Amino acid sequence: MTDVTIEFRDVSKRYGTLVANDHLSLAIRKGELMTLLGPSGCGKTTALRCLTGYIRPDEGRIFIDGQDVTDVPTHQRELGMVFQNFALFPHMTVQDNVGFPLMIRNLSKAERAQRVAQALRLVRLEGYESHYPRQLSGGQQQRVGLARALVYRPKVLLLDEPLSNLDAKLREEMRFEIKEVVTRLEITAVYVTHDQAEALALSDRVAIMNRGRLEQVGTPEEIYEHPQSRFVAEFIGLSNFLEGYVQAVDGDTMVVSVGGLQMRIPVLAEAGPGQRVLLFLRPNEVELLRPDDPGGANVFDARVEKVTYLGDTLDYRLTFGQGLTLRVQSDAQRRFGQGAPVRLRFPRVRCWAITGN
Amino acid sequence: MRLARAYGRAMWDARLVLAYTLLLSLTLFILAPFLMIALRSVGKGWFGRLWLPPQLTLDWYRWAVEVGNIPEVMKNTLIIGVIAVAVSTVIGIFAGWAFGRRQMPGKEVLMAIILLPRMIPPITYALGVAQIFYTLELVDTYLGVALAHVSVCAPYAILVLSATFEGLDERVLEAAGVCGANTIKRFFYVVLPLIMPGILASMIFSFTHSYNEFTLTLLTYGPHTVTLPVRTYLAVGDGYWEITSAMAMLMVVPSLLILAVIQRRAKPEKLVGGFKGV
Ligand SMILES: Nc1ncnc2c1ncn2[C@@H]1O[C@H](COP(=O)(O)OP(=O)(O)O)[C@@H](O)[C@H]1O
Ligand SMILES: [Mg+2]
């Protein structure tokens, strides 16, 4: 008995010359909520469709519960799926929509009614049995979609951007609802989204995709704290990138030369002197000091180019070193005007670098 | 200010006049011939310049039914209509599926070719059909006349059903598959109910076109396959205006029935396009 429920093994899918999935390999553990995160068009839906069997990968195999299902037709894969546009059956009532998978499986009418009632209770939609989808709001329709996907206890729950068609407030609410249901049922789930905040909030692990390839797989913390590529860093909202090269390695610290300045950052295992690196800095993790504050390691003089007032924070564009620019956000307590000299401090442990070329 | 108001009133009046003129001419064009036939079919001794017939009678209807053999002719018309509807709908479903669901090269060209019988003069097309049918011995058979009708009915069926299939949400079918439905169950539980309005619309269109079709029937009918329009036309040749009018009136009855059904049962916007997912 393996604890891997789903496995993509080297899966590729092409549409003409366009590679929608490029040698995808990913293992999803039992009971885990795995998110496929990436910009629109990066191949997330294609990956899900390979999993449902709606399309057949050109190469590679798909495993569910250790069984190779690559050639098993969709209707035999025992999956549940929630769609971005809800994809409810417009000609059926809520009752019949949710009961559809049970009807297909020839369950008795009484059993069907009982299971449907249970599923509707789970998504808090009791009393809507005889409504048609078009009579429901988006949020309610998506709850019906969720109930329909869960009613027959599928092995895996798939969700393809289930919240994208809802407005912002409802989206946040439903996010936690989905998370709660998935946790309560201890079901393995694959969640697709292009919204990084959603992915970080929901997932046990996140797989970031870019142009059909997997960029990085890890827990939300790993992804957020230690992005392994510039794409991942940018995608989860980092905006400061500084290029430099390693000057020296000193224990757990390495000295990196950036625009003529020396920065001390945590050492990278694979980096030796001369290695080019890319530094990531979050705008809210750089400290702004007064120009007469004491200097020290990782403290540099800078000048304010532009300030934008954002309410509880101020957004600065700064220049420092030899032609380096940086975005910094700090609380509105200590203010610097345009053109003012400031000092920057980069907390050593908040600096994250990857090797670059 | 006053000028503006006067101008506004003038525009309003102009629009009113235009509306009434349009309405009146429409009424005249649609109703006048109809009224004429209706009166003629029940009038007796209506000659000269009288506004209304001096006497009313149902005799012409009796004559039409007995001499014109209307029950037999009506039967022919309906049988041919049903065959034409069945064949066109089946063609429409398959072609509509292909046009509406698949990206295929040369779609526009194919569509144009399918619509061609409707574009060229009916008599030209009918002549060609007749010649082919003579060699195939399809002339004066129900199937033959019906197949001739299919050439005009099928394009409508294809158009309507292409739109229906285009409106079918791909992801709803995908959802049905994930829910455990195989191709056959997907078709019967999901596809069929969703395209039903389109199928009904296409059947009604096809039937009315077959029912009203004249040119193609004229060149492919025989003694056993006289249809209502042809019978009426032949009666004109016999010179009995009253009996012809009665036939024409009888012919209208089923059309009106269909119209009533459409009005009652189906919303036009539902007939074309079918449902959408969201
Ligand atoms: N049926 C198809 N035919 C051709 N190209 C497709 C098809 N489906 C998807 N694609 C292309 O494959 C790429 C990946 O699509 P998709 O998996 O839907 O992306 P995502 O769900 O991440 O937005 C896109 O560039 C898309 O245009
Ligand atoms: Mg998608």
Side-chain angles (χ1 to χ4, degrees):
Chain A
M1 185 71 199
T2 155
D3 67 348
V4 172
T5 303
I6 299 170
E7 192 182 348
F8 289 85
R9 198 173 288 172
D10 217 17
V11 170
S12 292
K13 174 70 192 173
R14 277 175 284 275
Y15 291 112
T17 54
L18 186 138
V19 187
N21 280 174
D22 191 357
H23 298 282
L24 219 62
S25 286
L26 181 66
I28 299 166
R29 301 178 194 129
K30 210 175 202 74
E32 174 177 56
L33 198 162
M34 169 70 89
T35 296
L36 298 184
L37 174 65
S40 183
C42 73
K44 308 180 295 289
T45 298
T46 303
L48 273 199
R49 284 181 160 165
C50 287
L51 191 53
T52 63
Y54 189 78
I55 54 176
R56 195 186 181 289
D58 297 328
E59 291 162 35
R61 314 296 300 177
I62 307 258
F63 296 83
I64 298 177
D65 266 349
Q67 184 204 351
D68 184 343
V69 296
T70 318
D71 296 307
V72 175
T74 304
H75 61 95
Q76 287 171 6
R77 292 196 187 184
E78 299 286 317
L79 304 168
M81 182 153 174
V82 178
F83 296 83
Q84 174 174 359
N85 70 348
F86 318 134
L88 301 176
F89 307 122
H91 58 299
M92 295 185 199
T93 60
V94 168
Q95 173 90 25
D96 291 344
N97 261 286
V98 178
F100 183 79
L102 306 175
M103 193 259 293
I104 291 295
R105 287 168 175 75
N106 296 320
L107 265 68
S108 76
K109 214 163 179 167
E111 169 124 35
R112 235 151 62 192
Q114 189 233 326
R115 296 268 291 267
V116 169
Q118 198 180 339
L120 286 179
R121 203 157 46 239
L122 187 73
V123 297
R124 301 191 290 111
L125 261 189
E126 304 107 312
Y128 288 91
E129 287 80 359
S130 54
H131 284 59
Y132 282 89
R134 62 176 174 277
Q135 299 172 305
L136 303 177
S137 71
Q140 289 170 329
Q141 289 190 51
Q142 199 52 296
R143 288 206 180 92
V144 176
L146 189 59
R148 179 181 67 182
L150 290 169
V151 74
Y152 54 101
R153 304 278 157 70
K155 289 176 187 164
V156 181
L157 177 64
L158 312 175
L159 306 104
D160 192 353
E161 312 221 10
L163 307 181
S164 309
N165 277 11
L166 307 179
D167 58 54
K169 191 168 159 344
L170 191 60
R171 200 148 57 208
E172 210 145 302
E173 215 178 285
M174 287 274 302
R175 192 193 278 176
F176 291 105
E177 223 165 284
I178 288 178
K179 173 83 179 169
E180 196 199 304
V181 167
V182 168
T183 315
R184 175 132 50 103
L185 298 181
E186 295 177 344
I187 191 169
T188 310
V190 184
Y191 190 103
V192 162
T193 183
H194 64 261
D195 179 336
Q196 49 99 4
E198 205 168 288
L200 296 178
L202 270 175
S203 322
D204 296 316
R205 282 196 303 156
V206 181
I208 298 201
M209 286 182 71
N210 178 25
R211 297 213 230 139
R213 280 179 301 107
L214 273 183
E215 285 274 337
Q216 190 176 349
V217 183
T219 64
E221 290 81 4
E222 284 165 0
I223 297 276
Y224 191 74
E225 303 283 332
H226 303 305
Q228 297 294 343
S229 65
R230 179 167 182 144
F231 174 83
V232 173
E234 274 179 8
F235 197 75
I236 58 166
L238 278 172
S239 56
N240 288 323
F241 303 95
L242 300 176
E243 283 177 33
Y245 64 92
V246 178
Q247 272 191 336
V249 177
D250 172 17
D252 61 351
T253 300
M254 60 186 189
V255 180
V256 177
S257 166
V258 178
L261 305 171
Q262 266 86 45
M263 254 180 235
R264 301 174 71 78
I265 67 169
V267 74
L268 274 178
E270 66 273 27
Q275 171 74 50
R276 299 189 66 80
V277 294
L278 190 61
L279 252 87
F280 306 137
L281 293 156
R282 281 175 213 287
N284 57 355
E285 287 179 345
V286 179
E287 280 177 46
L288 272 188
L289 309 171
R290 266 193 280 274
D292 51 358
D293 279 346
N298 285 1
V299 175
F300 309 106
D301 287 320
R303 172 181 292 278
V304 177
E305 289 298 319
K306 194 161 169 254
V307 204
T308 314
Y309 179 68
L310 297 177
D312 49 357
T313 55
L314 289 169
D315 187 273
Y316 295 95
R317 268 173 209 283
L318 308 165
T319 51
F320 71 109
Q322 293 165 2
L324 299 174
T325 63
L326 196 70
R327 235 183 95 203
V328 176
Q329 288 184 349
S330 79
D331 59 36
Q333 288 189 346
R334 197 185 267 173
R335 298 189 181 197
F336 301 95
Q338 193 166 328
V342 292
R343 283 204 147 153
L344 296 172
R345 199 170 82 83
F346 300 103
R348 192 193 71 106
V349 292
R350 306 310 305 175
C351 297
W352 170 250
I354 59 168
T355 55
N357 35 21
Chain B
M1 191 62 213
R2 200 183 307 154
L3 199 68
R5 205 174 302 156
Y7 178 75
R9 185 146 359 104
M11 281 305 289
W12 176 244
D13 288 348
R15 220 181 294 165
L16 220 62
V17 170
L18 193 69
Y20 274 117
T21 315
L22 268 178
L23 211 64
L24 202 68
S25 38
L26 270 181
T27 320
L28 277 178
F29 274 118
I30 293 171
L31 273 187
F34 191 73
L35 265 179
M36 189 68 202
I37 298 293
L39 282 175
R40 180 71 82 178
S41 73
V42 293
K44 202 169 184 180
W46 194 23
F47 308 111
R49 290 169 183 270
L50 291 175
W51 272 102
L52 290 170
Q55 253 184 301
L56 297 181
T57 177
L58 285 176
D59 279 357
W60 310 129
Y61 282 89
R62 217 189 60 228
W63 278 67
V65 170
E66 283 173 9
V67 179
N69 206 8
I70 290 300
E72 178 73 19
V73 172
M74 181 74 88
K75 193 189 87 189
N76 293 343
T77 313
L78 292 181
I79 291 178
I80 289 167
V82 167
I83 301 175
V85 165
V87 176
S88 326
T89 307
V90 171
I91 293 177
I93 289 179
F94 284 104
W97 169 269
F99 278 122
R101 313 278 312 151
R102 300 270 166 254
Q103 273 100 21
M104 45 185 198
K107 195 155 145 174
E108 284 76 18
V109 176
L110 259 178
M111 199 60 131
I113 289 174
I114 285 170
L115 291 176
L116 202 59
R118 296 270 63 194
M119 304 298 179
I120 56 180
I123 188 71
T124 311
Y125 185 76
L127 272 172
V129 170
Q131 286 186 20
I132 296 169
F133 278 19
Y134 270 109
T135 50
L136 294 179
E137 297 189 350
L138 279 168
V139 170
D140 196 22
T141 61
Y142 286 143
L143 184 66
V145 180
L147 283 182
H149 287 187
V150 164
S151 68
V152 285
C153 300
Y156 284 98
I158 293 171
L159 275 183
V160 170
L161 285 163
S162 297
T164 307
F165 277 113
E166 237 163 68
L168 206 59
D169 183 355
E170 174 105 13
R171 308 228 75 182
V172 169
L173 304 187
E174 196 180 340
V178 178
C179 283
N182 59 23
T183 315
I184 293 168
K185 285 177 175 169
R186 273 206 302 274
F187 181 77
F188 282 105
Y189 289 127
V190 182
V191 177
L192 198 56
L194 289 181
I195 63 169
M196 212 54 206
I199 290 182
L200 281 181
S202 125
M203 286 171 89
I204 289 170
F205 276 133
S206 303
F207 185 78
T208 35
H209 275 93
S210 163
Y211 186 82
N212 297 336
E213 181 53 43
F214 176 67
T215 319
L216 280 163
T217 320
L218 194 65
L219 287 169
T220 49
Y221 89 105
H224 306 103
T225 51
V226 182
T227 65
L228 275 168
V230 170
R231 185 70 197 86
T232 311
Y233 171 74
L234 292 177
V236 175
D238 295 343
Y240 291 106
W241 274 104
E242 288 79 6
I243 300 177
T244 315
S245 302
M247 283 181 187
M249 287 307 292
L250 287 174
M251 197 177 141
V252 170
V253 174
S255 302
L256 289 180
L257 282 179
I258 291 180
L259 200 66
V261 170
I262 297 179
Q263 289 268 307
R264 274 284 176 76
R265 286 294 178 81
K267 305 227 166 59
E269 71 270 17
K270 245 186 175 179
L271 287 179
V272 188
F275 297 92
K276 264 241 142 142
V278 185

